[in-house]
Amino acid sequence: MISIQSDDFDVGKEYQALKESADGDGAIVTFTGLVRDMCESGSVSGISLEHYPGMAEKSLMEICTKARQRWSLGNIRIIHRVGELAASEHIVFVGVTSKHRHDAFEACEFLMDYLKTRAPLWKKEITAAGAIWVEAKQTDHDAAAVWG
């Protein structure tokens, strides 16, 4: 299930929901991203995230389909927040269930690499010098390139 929302989420509740629907899966891997308090040019007080409604959800559904084609997966849960977020707030949650940990770990990493480089989401970091648009870093593109 995909959610793009301004409201915060409860990591414990999301994990529990994955566990309850795991249907015999032996692995649950989750990733939770937080707003960092620093960037290359200094400190960050928060971020502003924008998305293209409809397009972002469609894009994330497509990458879930690709993940399912590569690995044997049970459930996939992606939550991405948008709007104004302060440092240390939750940004993203990715949770994957699978019969085996290897598939769950790789699929979770694949989904995050996609989110960082290809999802139609745009981020501005709020610094003392003003707001700065942020693009995916070369290291993010290098990580995503591993998946082909």
Side-chain angles (χ1 to χ4, degrees):
M1 184 162 77
I2 307 286
S3 298
I4 297 180
Q5 60 191 48
S6 58
D7 293 335
D8 197 7
F9 51 87
D10 183 319
V11 174
K13 286 183 180 177
E14 295 302 329
Y15 174 84
Q16 190 62 34
L18 283 168
K19 183 179 176 187
E20 290 173 3
S21 64
D23 194 29
D25 285 346
I28 300 173
V29 173
T30 66
F31 173 83
T32 305
L34 306 175
V35 177
R36 284 187 290 238
D37 65 355
M38 52 77 173
C39 65
E40 293 176 5
S41 61
S43 65
V44 172
S45 61
I47 62 173
S48 177
L49 285 161
E50 298 178 15
H51 76 298
Y52 189 143
M55 177 74 78
E57 292 86 348
K58 180 180 177 194
S59 174
L60 295 178
M61 289 300 294
E62 289 171 359
I63 196 60
C64 288
T65 298
K66 289 182 181 179
R68 288 185 185 286
Q69 291 169 346
R70 294 177 83 128
W71 296 281
S72 176
L73 302 176
N75 292 308
I76 300 174
R77 176 72 168 127
I78 297 176
I79 303 171
H80 207 297
R81 293 183 66 200
V82 293
E84 307 294 321
L85 305 175
S88 80
E89 284 192 58
H90 296 131
I91 301 174
V92 63
F93 176 88
V94 175
V96 176
T97 72
S98 181
K99 298 288 184 211
H100 303 287
R101 65 185 160 92
H102 179 78
D103 285 358
F105 273 120
E106 285 199 349
C108 192
E109 188 172 12
F110 170 79
L111 292 165
M112 272 311 304
D113 288 342
Y114 174 82
L115 278 167
K116 294 283 285 187
T117 57
R118 298 183 196 163
L121 296 155
W122 300 277
K123 178 171 79 173
K124 280 194 282 191
E125 292 173 332
I126 312 303
T127 71
I132 303 166
W133 285 105
V134 179
E135 293 186 23
K137 297 179 178 118
Q138 186 58 47
T139 53
D140 298 325
H141 288 290
D142 292 345
V146 168
W147 306 110

